[in-house]
C-alpha cells in the first residue's frame, strides 16, 4: 500500500509525521499521524493508538496534549487516525451537524445507506491501520489504545471487543453509555438503524457486562465537564465494571472540563499507565 508522507516535524528527539493513504476499509483517502520516539531509531517500539473526539482530526492530540514529551521519555510510538472518512463522495449529515457524519464516525461499522459505503471506522482502527503501521514503521505488535470523548467511547469499545489485541485501555471523558444519550442515539440510528440489539455491540457499558477480557483500564473524567450528565454517564461504566469485578480505575478530577487543557494535565499519567503493560522489564 502506498503511503504519501505529507509532513515531518522533529520534536523531543523523535519525529512527528503525517501520511495519507487509500483505505480499503473506508474506500476513501485517509490521513493519520504517527509520532516515532528517538528510541525507534535503534529498535522497534510499542504503540499507543489515540482516538479523537467529535469535530477533531489526527492533529488535535499531537498539537494540544503535549503527548510527545512523555512518549519520547518512555519510548512509545503514538498513532492518531482521523475521526471519520472524508471526501467529496463521502456521505455527511444533510444539515451539517457536528455530531454526525464527517468528523463523527463513532468508530463503528455503519450498516445503513448511504453511510455503509465509507463509514467502516471499526475495521479501519482494529485491522487495517495496525497492519499498515506494523508493516511500515519500526514498531512491535504490542499496542494499547486510548481516546477522548467519542474517541474514549471508541477506545473502550474496541479494547473490550478485542481483549487479546491490546495491553491496556484508557480514556478521557468517554461517552460511556451511548445507547442512552443524545449523541449516541443519533449516531446509532443513523449508522446502525433502529434495532437496538445492534447498538449493544458499540456501547461501552453493555460490552463491559459481557466481555471475556480483563484488560487494565484507566478513565479520567472532569467534574466540571458540560457534557457529564447528559452525554457521558460515567456511572454506568462504573456500575457495569463493579458487576463483574473488572479492573477499571475511574477518577473524577475536580474542577476540570472537557477540553484539551484537561487532557494535557493528565496525559503523562495515562502514558505511564500504558507503559507498565507495553514495556516489559
Amino acid at each position: 500500500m502506498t503511503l504519501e508522507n505529507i509532513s515531518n516535524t522533529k520534536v523531543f528527539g523523535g519525529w512527528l509525521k503525517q501520511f495519507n493513504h487509500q483505505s480499503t476499509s473506508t474506500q476513501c483517502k485517509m490521513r493519520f499521524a504517527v509520532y516515532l520516539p528517538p528510541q525507534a531509531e535503534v529498535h522497534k517500539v510499542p504503540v499507543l493508538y489515540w482516538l479523537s473526539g467529535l469535530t477533531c482530526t489526527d492533529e488535535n492530540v499531537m498539537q494540544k496534549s503535549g503527548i510527545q514529551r512523555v512518549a519520547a521519555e518512555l519510548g512509545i510510538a503514538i498513532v492518531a487516525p482521523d475521526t471519520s472518512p472524508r471526501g467529496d463522495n463521502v456521505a455527511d449529515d444533510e444539515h451539517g451537524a457536528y455530531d454526525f457524519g464527517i468528523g463523527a464516525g463513532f468508530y463503528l461499522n455503519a450498516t445503513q445507506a448511504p453511510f455503509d459505503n465509507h463509514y467502516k471506522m471499526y475495521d479501519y482502527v482494529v485491522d487495517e491501520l495496525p497492519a499498515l503501521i506494523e508493516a511500515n514503521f519500526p514498531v512491535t505488535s504490542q499496542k494499547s489504545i486510548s481516546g477522548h470523548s467519542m474517541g474514549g467511547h471508541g477506545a473502550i469499545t474496541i479494547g473490550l471487543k478485542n481483549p487479546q489485541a491490546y495491553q491496556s485501555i484508557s480514556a478521557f471523558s468517554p461517552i460511556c453509555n451511548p445507547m442512552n444519550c443524545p449523541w449516541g442515539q443519533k449516531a446509532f440510528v443513523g449508522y446502525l438503524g433502529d434495532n437496538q440489539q445492534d447498538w449493544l455491540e458499540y456501547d461501552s457499558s453493555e460490552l463491559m457486562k459481557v466481555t471475556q477480557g480483563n484488560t487494565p483500564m484507566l478513565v479520567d473524567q472532569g467534574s466540571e465537564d458540560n457534557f457529564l450528565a447528559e452525554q457521558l454517564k460515567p456511572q454506568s461504566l462504573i456500575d457495569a465494571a463493579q458487576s463483574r469485578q473488572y479492573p477499571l480505575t475511574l477518577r473524577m478530577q475536580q474542577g476540570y472540563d472537557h477540553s484539551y487543557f484537561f487532557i494535557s494535565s493528565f496525559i503523562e499519567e495515562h502514558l505511564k499507565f500504558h507503559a507498565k503493560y507495553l514495556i516489559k522489564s
Side-chain angles (χ1 to χ4, degrees), residues 19 31 54 72 77 80 85 87 94 107 115 122 130 138 145 189 197 237-238 246:
F19 293 87
R31 188 176 75 185
L54 293 167
E94 60 182 5
Y107 305 102
F115 301 98
Y122 179 86
I145 193 164
V189 168
Q197 286 299 116
L237 189 67
I238 294 171
Y246 189 94

Side-chain angles (χ1 to χ4, degrees), residues 24-27 85 90-91 100 108-121 123 190-192:
T24 57
S25 301
T26 65
Q27 298 296 311
V90 174
F100 184 75
L108 49 72
N109 285 341
T111 59
Q112 302 300 298
F115 301 98
D116 56 341
N117 288 332
H118 298 286
Y119 286 76
K120 304 291 185 182
M121 289 299 293
D123 284 350
Y191 293 136
L192 303 174

Side-chain angles (χ1 to χ4, degrees), residues 40-52:
E41 295 184 5
V42 180
H43 58 77
K44 291 184 176 182
V45 296
V47 183
L48 176 66
Y49 287 84
W50 174 272
L51 308 182
S52 291

Side-chain angles (χ1 to χ4, degrees), residues 5-201:
N5 185 198
I6 55 177
S7 72
N8 297 281
T9 306
K10 193 163 189 179
V11 55
F12 291 105
W15 287 95
L16 172 60
K17 300 172 180 282
Q18 278 182 312
F19 293 87
N20 284 333
H21 73 104
Q22 187 65 32
S23 168
T24 57
S25 301
T26 65
Q27 298 296 311
C28 67
K29 183 178 286 188
M30 295 292 291
R31 188 176 75 185
F32 67 86
V34 56
Y35 176 69
L36 297 171
Q39 294 88 337
E41 295 184 5
V42 180
H43 58 77
K44 291 184 176 182
V45 296
V47 183
L48 176 66
Y49 287 84
W50 174 272
L51 308 182
S52 291
L54 293 167
T55 75
C56 294
T57 69
D58 61 293
E59 294 184 333
N60 290 73
V61 68
M62 296 301 191
Q63 295 184 3
K64 297 180 179 180
S65 71
I67 199 170
Q68 297 93 342
R69 178 185 63 80
V70 190
E73 174 187 330
L74 297 173
I76 297 173
I78 310 297
V79 173
D82 203 346
T83 52
S84 80
R86 297 177 191 268
D88 293 340
N89 297 321
V90 174
D92 195 6
D93 182 81
E94 60 182 5
H95 303 295
Y98 77 95
D99 55 357
F100 184 75
I102 291 176
F106 270 83
Y107 305 102
L108 49 72
N109 285 341
T111 59
Q112 302 300 298
F115 301 98
D116 56 341
N117 288 332
H118 298 286
Y119 286 76
K120 304 291 185 182
M121 289 299 293
Y122 179 86
D123 284 350
Y124 180 72
V125 171
V126 173
D127 297 318
E128 183 178 359
L129 185 59
L132 187 66
I133 297 298
E134 290 167 24
N136 289 278
F137 300 97
V139 301
T140 70
S141 60
Q142 294 287 99
K143 57 184 181 291
S144 293
I145 193 164
S146 185
H148 171 232
S149 193
M150 177 187 71
H153 140 79
I156 295 174
T157 57
I158 287 170
L160 290 176
K161 287 162 71 77
N162 300 275
Q164 304 306 314
Y166 300 94
Q167 303 301 307
S168 49
I169 306 164
S170 80
F172 290 86
S173 315
I175 304 171
C176 294
N177 190 200
M179 292 183 66
N180 292 305
C181 78
W183 278 341
Q185 291 168 348
K186 180 177 181 178
F188 286 0
V189 168
Y191 293 136
L192 303 174
D194 294 326
N195 185 353
Q196 294 194 12
Q197 286 299 116
D198 296 331
W199 300 5
L200 294 171
E201 288 295 311

Side-chain angles (χ1 to χ4, degrees), residues 165-275:
Y166 300 94
Q167 303 301 307
S168 49
I169 306 164
S170 80
F172 290 86
S173 315
I175 304 171
C176 294
N177 190 200
M179 292 183 66
N180 292 305
C181 78
W183 278 341
Q185 291 168 348
K186 180 177 181 178
F188 286 0
V189 168
Y191 293 136
L192 303 174
D194 294 326
N195 185 353
Q196 294 194 12
Q197 286 299 116
D198 296 331
W199 300 5
L200 294 171
E201 288 295 311
Y202 299 105
D203 186 293
S204 296
S205 297
E206 295 299 327
L207 289 168
M208 178 71 79
K209 297 174 185 177
V210 299
T211 182
Q212 299 301 305
N214 284 287
T215 308
M217 184 185 301
L218 172 64
V219 174
D220 273 329
Q221 173 64 61
S223 67
E224 302 308 305
D225 192 319
N226 291 336
F227 304 112
L228 179 59
E230 183 181 27
Q231 303 284 12
L232 306 181
K233 302 183 181 297
Q235 190 61 49
S236 64
L237 189 67
I238 294 171
D239 292 343
Q242 290 177 343
S243 73
R244 59 174 304 275
Q245 298 182 312
Y246 189 94
L248 164 68
T249 298
L250 195 151
R251 308 184 302 188
M252 186 64 67
Q253 303 290 3
Q254 294 301 311
Y256 287 90
D257 59 16
H258 198 73
S259 72
Y260 264 84
F261 294 113
F262 171 44
I263 294 169
S264 64
S265 298
F266 297 99
I267 195 68
E268 181 170 357
E269 294 180 27
H270 278 242
L271 262 67
K272 289 182 175 178
F273 164 77
H274 291 296

